[in-house]
Amino acid sequence: MKSLKFTLSGDFACFKRPHQNNKLFTYGNIHKVALLGILGSLLGYGGHSQKEEESVYPEFYEKLKDLKISIKPNIVGAFSKRFKHYTDTTGFSNNRDGLMVREQSLINPSWDIYILTDKKNDTVVNELYKCLLSRSGSFNPYLGKNHYPARISNYGLVELEEVDKVNRIDSLFEYEHIEFDDLINENNMNTFSIREIMPIDMTEYKNRYTEKELCFSNYAISDCKLRNLYSSEGYVLQFI
């Protein structure tokens, strides 16, 4: 089996959590819904602002929601973060003079993105690959905000091999159904494990995030019951 692979990076990124107004915290990594939005912008699909009232999903999500995607952070541990302050003068705040907003962003984020190709999504993946090769995306991609431009590089097709038993996973993965090997990890000072509730889906019509606990870790794994596990170029990846 093959996968389309590319590196997605930028100077900054902000994939804001929708839970607060005056303090905008970012997820620690790009999540699947945001990534589908980037792919949709390259292919010229409509976003949230173009959605018809009677539509179940925005066009980009309707056409891309069935893609199986793996996200491998290019870092050991977590990306650095920074805060900046600005005044929201859009008129959406309760204060007519504007609302002071504290916004968090990731610094120099970079991920290797893998998109599984199969009979169901082969046409979309081929279209995306041609778009990357010709550098002819319909819109310029950005990392959460339009003043954080995204860079896409190292694109190509790679081979995948399905795996059943693993002792580590190099991409983000669903924390459910994983057991770590405590004896090995307790004696290793260079291990890390980062867990975060992140969006993996959207609800119909209202299009709110459906979230699941994902993990990024180099801990040794003793038992794994996850699905959609593949190896490529020496890495073990889960496709979500």
Side-chain angles (χ1 to χ4, degrees):
M1 186 174 290
K2 291 185 179 293
S3 167
L4 173 60
K5 175 197 172 183
F6 60 88
T7 300
L8 179 68
S9 62
D11 295 329
F12 301 100
C14 179
F15 307 106
K16 65 180 182 180
R17 298 174 178 274
H19 312 109
Q20 291 179 303
N21 188 27
N22 63 332
K23 292 183 180 179
L24 303 182
F25 291 93
T26 180
Y27 292 100
N29 283 283
I30 190 171
H31 55 79
K32 183 176 180 179
V33 179
L35 182 55
L36 295 183
I38 290 176
L39 302 180
S41 70
L42 293 173
L43 296 170
Y45 298 156
H48 291 279
S49 60
Q50 291 82 34
K51 178 190 172 186
E52 300 291 339
E53 186 174 350
E54 66 276 7
S55 298
V56 178
Y57 296 113
E59 183 184 16
F60 83 90
Y61 194 76
E62 182 65 46
K63 292 187 174 182
L64 302 177
K65 59 184 172 64
D66 293 325
L67 291 179
K68 291 296 183 182
I69 292 175
S70 183
I71 301 170
K72 184 179 78 67
N74 292 322
I75 194 171
V76 176
F79 296 111
S80 298
K81 299 176 182 178
R82 69 164 190 180
F83 275 101
K84 71 173 183 178
H85 296 79
Y86 65 90
T87 304
D88 178 8
T89 58
T90 61
F92 292 101
S93 61
N94 294 327
N95 187 342
R96 65 181 181 180
D97 296 325
L99 177 70
M100 285 297 299
V101 177
R102 191 179 184 215
E103 180 183 272
Q104 187 184 53
S105 58
L106 307 177
I107 301 174
N108 295 321
S110 174
W111 303 271
D112 283 340
I113 307 297
Y114 298 80
I115 305 175
L116 195 65
T117 61
D118 55 29
K119 293 180 179 179
K120 189 174 184 178
N121 61 43
D122 186 64
T123 301
V124 171
V125 174
N126 284 336
E127 185 180 356
L128 181 59
Y129 185 35
K130 291 177 182 178
C131 176
L132 294 176
L133 286 174
S134 61
R135 299 186 180 182
S136 57
S138 297
F139 302 100
N140 293 326
Y142 54 86
L143 299 177
K145 302 192 73 174
N146 57 15
H147 56 281
Y148 293 156
R151 294 187 293 269
I152 297 178
S153 58
N154 304 325
Y155 37 82
L157 296 174
V158 297
E159 294 287 341
L160 295 177
E161 292 186 9
E162 193 168 5
V163 294
D164 296 323
K165 295 182 179 180
V166 299
N167 58 16
R168 75 177 198 285
I169 301 176
D170 299 293
S171 66
L172 301 184
F173 60 89
E174 298 170 82
Y175 183 70
E176 191 177 15
H177 306 310
I178 283 284
E179 291 184 14
F180 291 122
D181 191 326
D182 294 334
L183 291 178
I184 293 178
N185 297 320
E186 285 177 0
N187 297 324
N188 190 341
M189 300 298 293
N190 297 318
T191 54
F192 65 89
S193 182
I194 301 167
R195 292 156 54 185
E196 186 173 18
I197 305 296
M198 298 182 70
I200 61 165
D201 199 353
M202 285 201 305
T203 61
E204 297 180 353
Y205 295 105
K206 291 186 178 181
N207 301 152
R208 294 172 178 166
Y209 287 152
T210 299
E211 297 181 316
K212 182 172 283 190
E213 187 173 23
L214 301 184
C215 185
F216 178 50
S217 176
N218 63 356
Y219 274 16
I221 295 172
S222 60
D223 187 42
C224 175
K225 294 182 175 64
L226 294 175
R227 297 181 178 180
N228 299 318
L229 289 171
Y230 295 85
S231 65
S232 178
E233 304 174 307
Y235 298 109
V236 178
L237 312 166
Q238 189 198 10
F239 286 77
I240 299 171

